[in-house]
Amino acid sequence: MFPDAKRPDVEFAAYLSGADQAEKLAPCYTGSGIKYSEGRDENGTVVGLSPSIIDEASAVAIYVCDAAYPHQLVAPPSPEILGYLYDYFTKFVVPCYEANGITNTPAPTREAFITQWPNQNWFPSMEDVADTADGDAIETACPLPPR
């Protein structure tokens, strides 16, 4: 968003797992004055943080926190697993969402989904009803594959 922003050198602090984002990354955001929303799993555990970029200074502050506390990289899924995911999403999840009144942008081709992963810019979403009673019922009826 700010290609000319100066990215400071950042000292590595620790790798994150989903379970420790609230413990490690949230204080960094808060200490930098960054507002963020929390993604929680079915048990109420924080599994993701979404910081709000409002200007160049906040973007740089988010960069500093994210660089100090990166996620540990894992090997990408194989083309066979990505093909399975694509088929599951397009043949089950999206039609199930549609049957429940949720529309999604059209999926890319199967080949593009596989070859451009994780930058395929498409994933089925319940964005309009997420974190509501209707969303919980739809999530139960249209489960995503386990991670």
Side-chain angles (χ1 to χ4, degrees), residues 68-95:
Y69 296 99
H71 287 277
Q72 192 156 11
L73 298 176
V74 295
S78 69
E80 293 78 16
I81 290 174
L82 292 171
Y84 168 82
L85 286 174
Y86 180 86
D87 293 345
Y88 187 83
F89 291 151
T90 60
K91 295 177 182 177
F92 172 71
V93 175
V94 170

Side-chain angles (χ1 to χ4, degrees), residues 94-110:
V94 170
C96 186
Y97 284 178
E98 288 174 352
N100 285 282
I102 298 172
T103 57
N104 276 269
T105 58
T109 65
R110 190 175 196 269

